[in-house]
């Protein structure tokens, strides 16, 4: 009987060709797609390396979606096959004469039940398929009839009018609420929403997204694609639009509320934590009691609960959800459509996850379990593909690390105490006890910082070499801080259940001064001074009575403190607590660092059908084998590796190790030598020679922003910048978010600028930073990157307590792993910078590795294979210029 009920699933084989690829693929791309298809089918843990510029994204798209399409077809065929075989078994059983008719009926009933289960599953698949097909057809029909009609398809004119009125009323109500929040003291009823006790509408105080879940419906297998940034999601969607899957794939891009929120009033908050909290606060139900008469004329009261965000209505979110499933778009496209529909893009995208073939998201959305659970993302049986995974272990460690300082603890303690004092009479005894436990925990941590700060101040006064940090295991830290007796698991459950963080955010917004904008620039000069004196002489209005101390917050300190609490629930061996002392306790820090990132990857390895980590520079593979897959419980037999060369011809790249400068000065940019005037002047001479030979754009990478500025300032002082600008305009990367795109535009404009009359300037020289905004994810193709220069090796400081502890932890597991980590961190950063140039088959570029340590074998072994095979080493500077001149002379001839 069991053999009849269990039908073996037939294995899928990779297709001979991939017709979904938008053009004729190279051999390396075909091999990549076949290997990916096979790895997913056989449930492998894959490590895939394909150099940047080889069409890796398209290979991932076509290889994985080709498998998914075949898998869904097989699933339907398997159901039909199983039903047919079970029906045959049932007919055979009915014809067979048995003495034990009770046993025969039991077997027939078992087969019947199994057939019904399979038919139900098949019906769900067909119903879902038909529903989505009709939805797409309806969308296409409406779009043809009228480009703007779809947004009103689910509403009548009356509904539209009502929605518009509601939106106006709710907006006014929100503005009024914001004004009241800044008043002195709301009465008891007005601040009831801030108390811990449950309201009458507690059951309805849930996120709107839950309204769209239907667990009875069929959910197809999904590909969960992760990448580092939102801009890379946009690029990935752009690549899918090049393929035949443009009209077939149901793709959902996920993003944070910061990127997706359509409510302009919420967007003004800027801070991600404030936007999140405000969104959740606006979903809290408000009660509206209306009185009417029943059919007997008797008065009756009706309580209606509603949320205050005009964008979060069921019909609008459903309409936008359907649009997402029918039209392939990125985050910006969905936000634009959400604005047209006055619908919430964030919750519409979440509602579309269930019906998606592919869900695209930043790392943290899936890798951080609480975030994953909040989105309702399921790993079981799905395929996880992590692109740009060269720093995956570091990314996981960063996600689960936690940081809190003395000021945040002090501010949190102030909020908790005043909050308790205000609402104490309303709390139930159990809630009051839990709140007091949280106050004790925060208070003890703050006392610990104050004591350590005083001890360090005494030590540093006697010993100038005293270290400003201490390192503890979690257990030791909790004992020393006198918090080991507190059940943090229980406190965190209480905080989540009572939504304490959200309520404290509302309390802060209502009673405290919250600084949501940068501090204004202070006026200077005689006029400002006279104005200041006039204000001092003028009588001041009476100060309002404050119920709490006036503390200025830049956000919600409670969130950071609660996140740190979470880190203290980790296993003792998986992390360490680092105490940093700097002056007063307010400036002291407590940081939790992750030593074993794989412990947070275990559920993904065990539950997913297949996990693929991919990137342009994934070597050495052993790092991912040992520290990711095996440490997370994966079997070595499940691990599959793939690596390929570059698609560009060997003669299109010229990598050179430059160990000496024009005057014979040896280049070694270690900590001891890199700031010497002789070394900096020699580097300047190298750049001048290079700019004289290399046309168009040159990108020069330094080890850090501080060193980049040191070099630039020295060049200005010595007149070297002026000499460089005779040939190329010099552009420098500045530290700070939001500047990368503008900087790239400036550089691109300088590279492509028409040569001015009577000027020898040709192109531009960009000073950039290894590991900075321009070293990963951005492309310097063609004239933007005719030469990439890497100055020195960006080794991390061995004195860093965080790095030292991680190396020590790895050495304890296996000798050599610690040193391997140190080398890998450096060389992966170098390789990412190198990979910014040579982006397509006809592209060409030179690469100068400026440091004599690049001559060492173990350093060269970490370089990509396509670089190693062409690498030239020069012990004098003359041949470097000769090789560059020859290289560009040849390619100018070819282009001509």
């Amino acid at each position: 009987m069991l053999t009849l009920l269990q039908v073996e699933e037939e294995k899928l084989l990779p297709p001979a060709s991939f017709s979904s690829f938008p053009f004729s693929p190279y051999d390396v791309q075909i091999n990549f797609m076949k290997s990916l298809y096979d790895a997913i089918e056989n449930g492998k843990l894959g490590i895939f390396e394909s150099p940047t510029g080889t069409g890796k994204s398209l290979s991932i798209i076509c290889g994985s979606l080709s498998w998914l399409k075949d898998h869904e077809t097989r699933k339907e065929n398997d159901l039909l096959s199983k039903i047919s075989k079970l029906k045959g078994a049932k007919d055979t059983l009915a014809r067979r004469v048995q003495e034990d008719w009770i046993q025969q009926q039991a077997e027939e009933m078992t087969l019947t039940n199994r057939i019904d289960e399979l038919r139900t599953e098949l019906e769900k698949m067909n119903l879902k398929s038909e529903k989505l097909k009709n939805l797409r057809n309806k969308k296409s029909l409406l779009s043809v009839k009228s480009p703007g009609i779809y947004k009103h398809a689910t509403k009548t004119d009356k509904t539209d009018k009502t929605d518009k009125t509601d939106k106006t009323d709710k907006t006014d109500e929100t503005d009024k609420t914001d004004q009241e929040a800044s008043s002195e003291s709301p009465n008891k009823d007005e601040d009831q929403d801030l108390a811990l006790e449950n309201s009458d509408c507690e059951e309805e105080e849930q996120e709107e997204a839950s309204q769209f879940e239907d667990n009875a419906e069929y959910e197809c297998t999904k590909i969960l694609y992760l990448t580092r940034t939102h801009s890379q999601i946009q690029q990935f969607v752009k690549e899918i639009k090049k393929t035949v899957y443009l009209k077939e794939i149901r793709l959902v891009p996920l993003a944070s509320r910061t990127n997706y929120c359509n409510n302009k009033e919420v967007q003004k908050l800027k801070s991600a934590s404030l936007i999140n909290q405000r969104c959740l606060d606006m979903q809290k139900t408000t009660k509206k009691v209306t009185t009417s008469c029943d059919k007997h004329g008797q008065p009756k009261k009706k309580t209606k609960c509603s949320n205050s965000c005009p964008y979060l209505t069921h019909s609008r979110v459903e309409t936008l959800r359907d649009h997402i499933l029918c039209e392939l778009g990125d985050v910006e496209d969905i936000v634009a459509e959400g604005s047209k529909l006055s619908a919430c893009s964030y919750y519409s995208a979440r509602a579309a996850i269930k019906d998606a073939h592919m869900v695209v998201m930043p790392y943290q959305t899936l890798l951080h379990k609480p975030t994953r659970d909040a989105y309702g993302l399921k790993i079981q049986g799905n395929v996880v593909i992590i692109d740009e995974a060269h720093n995956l272990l570091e990314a996981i460690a960063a996600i689960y690390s936690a940081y809190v300082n003395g000021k945040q603890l002090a501010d949190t303690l102030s909020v908790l105490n005043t909050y308790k004092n205000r609402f104490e009479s309303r709390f139930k005894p159990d809630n009051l006890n839990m709140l007091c436990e949280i106050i004790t925990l925060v208070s003890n941590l703050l006392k610990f910082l104050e004591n350590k700060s005083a001890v360090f101040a005494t030590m540093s006064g006697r010993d100038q070499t005293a270290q400003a940090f201490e390192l503890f295991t979690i257990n030791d830290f909790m004992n020393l801080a006198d918090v080991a007796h507190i059940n943090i698991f229980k406190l965190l459950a209480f905080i989540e259940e009572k939504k304490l963080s959200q309520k404290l955010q509302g309390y802060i917004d209502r009673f405290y001064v919250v600084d949501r904008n940068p501090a204004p620039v202070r006026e200077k000069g005689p006029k400002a001074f006279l104005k200041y004196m006039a204000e001092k002489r003028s009588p001041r209005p009476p100060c309002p009575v404050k119920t709490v101390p006036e503390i200025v917050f830049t956000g919600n300190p409670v969130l950071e403190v609660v996140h740190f609490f979470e880190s203290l629930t980790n296993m003792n061996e998986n992390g360490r607590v680092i105490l940093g002392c700097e002056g007063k306790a307010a400036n002291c820090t407590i940081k939790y660092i992750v030593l074993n990132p794989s412990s947070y990857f275990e559920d993904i390895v065990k539950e997913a059908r297949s996990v693929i980590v991919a990137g342009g520079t994934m070597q050495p593979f052993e790092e991912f084998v040992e520290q990711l897959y095996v440490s997370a419980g994966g079997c070595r037999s499940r691990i599959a590796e793939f690596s390929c060369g570059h698609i560009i011809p060997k003669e299109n790249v010229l990598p050179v190790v430059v160990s000496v400068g024009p005057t014979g000065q040896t280049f070694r940019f270690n900590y001891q030598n890199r700031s010497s005037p002789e070394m900096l002047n020699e580097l300047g001479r190298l750049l001048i020679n290079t700019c004289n030979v290399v046309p168009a754009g040159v990108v020069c990478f330094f080890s850090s922003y501080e060193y980049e500025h040191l070099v630039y300032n020295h060049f200005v002082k010595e007149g070297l910048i002026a000499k460089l600008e005779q040939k190329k305009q010099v552009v420098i990367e500045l530290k700070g978010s939001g500047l990368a795109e503008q900087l790239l535009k400036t550089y691109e404009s300088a590279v492509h600028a028409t040569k001015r009359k009577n000027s020898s300037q040709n192109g531009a020289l960009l000073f950039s930073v290894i590991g900075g905004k321009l070293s990963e994810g951005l492309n310097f193709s063609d004239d933007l990157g005719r030469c990439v220069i890497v100055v020195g090796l960006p080794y991390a400081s061995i004195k860093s307590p965080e790095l030292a502890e991680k190396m020590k932890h790895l050495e304890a597991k296996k000798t050599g792993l610690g040193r391997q980590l140190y080398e890998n961190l450096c060389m992966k950063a170098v390789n990412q910078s190198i990979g910014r140039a040579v982006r397509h088959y006809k592209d060409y570029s030179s690469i100068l590795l400026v440091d004599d340590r690049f001559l060492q074998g173990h350093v060269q072994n970490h370089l990509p294979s396509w670089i190693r095979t062409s690498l030239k080493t020069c012990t004098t500077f003359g041949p470097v210029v000769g090789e560059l001149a020859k290289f560009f002379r040849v390619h100018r001839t070819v282009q001509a």
Side-chain angles (χ1 to χ4, degrees), residues 751-848:
V751 169
H752 295 309
T754 304
K755 185 184 286 189
R756 297 190 300 272
K757 190 176 181 181
N758 300 324
S759 173
S760 60
Q761 199 174 66
N762 173 26
L765 168 63
L766 174 63
F767 282 10
S768 190
V769 175
I770 297 173
K773 295 289 182 181
L774 303 182
S775 67
E776 295 188 34
L778 294 176
N779 301 334
F780 296 110
S781 59
D782 299 317
D783 278 350
L784 294 185
R786 289 307 180 200
C787 183
V788 171
I789 302 172
V790 178
V791 178
L793 288 163
Y795 283 112
S797 173
I798 201 71
K799 294 181 180 179
S800 161
E802 186 171 337
L803 177 60
E805 193 63 21
K806 287 181 178 179
M807 290 175 65
K808 180 181 174 182
H809 173 77
L810 289 172
E811 285 293 328
K813 293 176 67 174
K814 184 178 178 182
T815 303
L817 285 182
R819 183 67 193 182
Q820 185 184 83
L821 170 69
Y822 186 65
E823 293 282 348
N824 289 345
L825 289 173
C826 170
M827 293 309 298
K828 283 191 291 186
V830 168
N831 292 339
Q832 281 299 305
S833 299
I834 291 173
R836 295 311 91 208
V838 198
R839 309 297 299 184
H840 56 84
Y841 183 78
K842 293 183 179 180
D843 201 0
Y844 61 93
S845 179
S846 56
I847 299 162
L848 302 185

Side-chain angles (χ1 to χ4, degrees), residues 149-178:
I149 198 171
Y150 181 69
K151 64 180 180 181
H152 303 297
T154 60
K155 308 175 193 172
T156 62
D157 293 339
K158 184 177 179 181
T159 306
D160 286 339
K161 186 176 180 181
T162 305
D163 284 344
K164 187 175 181 180
T165 305
D166 288 347
K167 179 180 176 182
T168 305
D169 292 343
K170 288 175 181 176
T171 304
D172 292 341
E173 185 178 331
T174 303
D175 292 340
K176 184 179 179 183
T177 304
D178 288 341

Side-chain angles (χ1 to χ4, degrees), residues 3 16 76 84 92 119 130 136 212 251 254 264 280 316 321-322 367 403 440 458 464 530 618 638 648 775 794 885:
T3 54
E76 184 175 358
S84 177
T92 302
R119 279 177 173 167
E130 192 65 26
R136 191 178 289 274
F212 311 106
L251 180 141
L254 298 182
K264 292 182 179 179
L280 295 173
R316 295 175 186 177
R321 176 201 63 188
D322 294 345
L367 297 179
Y403 167 95
T440 300
T458 304
Q464 296 300 320
L530 292 173
M618 300 295 288
R638 280 188 71 191
I648 62 166
S775 67

Side-chain angles (χ1 to χ4, degrees), residues 91-278:
D91 292 340
T92 302
L93 187 63
R95 291 193 299 269
R96 194 169 63 206
V97 178
Q98 293 188 8
E99 295 181 2
D100 191 347
W101 61 272
I102 296 178
Q103 177 65 26
Q104 183 175 354
Q105 280 195 333
E107 290 180 0
E108 285 185 11
M109 188 175 295
T110 301
L111 290 170
T112 300
N113 290 340
R114 181 58 178 153
I115 291 170
D116 290 343
E117 288 174 5
L118 294 174
R119 279 177 173 167
T120 301
E121 190 174 350
L122 185 61
E123 286 173 5
K124 284 182 180 180
M125 285 182 66
N126 292 334
L127 283 172
K128 174 66 74 173
S129 178
E130 192 65 26
K131 175 185 173 182
L132 293 168
K133 182 180 178 181
N134 291 338
L135 185 65
R136 191 178 289 274
N137 290 338
K138 181 180 178 182
K139 173 71 167 64
S140 300
L141 182 63
L142 289 169
S143 298
V144 170
K145 286 183 177 179
S146 174
I149 198 171
Y150 181 69
K151 64 180 180 181
H152 303 297
T154 60
K155 308 175 193 172
T156 62
D157 293 339
K158 184 177 179 181
T159 306
D160 286 339
K161 186 176 180 181
T162 305
D163 284 344
K164 187 175 181 180
T165 305
D166 288 347
K167 179 180 176 182
T168 305
D169 292 343
K170 288 175 181 176
T171 304
D172 292 341
E173 185 178 331
T174 303
D175 292 340
K176 184 179 179 183
T177 304
D178 288 341
Q179 292 171 5
E180 290 175 349
S182 60
S183 64
E184 291 178 26
S185 176
N187 62 34
K188 182 176 179 180
D189 292 331
E190 287 175 323
D191 59 16
Q192 176 63 37
D193 62 312
L194 301 178
L196 287 173
E197 311 311 327
N198 297 325
S199 65
D200 295 336
C201 296
E202 177 191 8
E203 292 182 359
E204 297 188 38
E205 287 189 11
Q206 299 173 357
E207 294 188 7
E208 194 77 5
S210 62
Q211 297 182 25
F212 311 106
E213 294 179 3
D214 186 352
N215 295 324
E217 287 191 358
Y218 168 76
E219 189 167 353
C220 66
T221 302
K222 293 176 176 47
I223 294 169
L224 307 176
Y225 175 87
L226 284 65
T227 192
R228 292 182 309 105
T229 63
H230 290 296
S231 61
Q232 287 172 332
I233 291 176
Q234 186 179 26
Q235 181 62 33
F236 186 78
V237 174
K238 186 178 178 181
E239 292 294 302
I240 292 181
K241 289 180 179 180
K242 297 177 182 177
T243 71
V244 297
Y245 297 113
L246 171 62
K247 297 295 182 182
E248 300 177 17
I249 184 71
R250 299 192 297 272
L251 180 141
V252 177
L254 298 182
S256 64
R257 287 179 174 89
T258 307
N259 295 85
Y260 257 148
C261 181
N262 296 93
N263 192 320
K264 292 182 179 179
E265 291 302 313
V266 177
Q267 288 175 350
K268 290 178 182 177
L269 298 177
K270 304 296 181 184
S271 164
S273 61
L274 291 175
I275 289 174
N276 289 339
Q277 292 302 327
R278 182 62 177 149

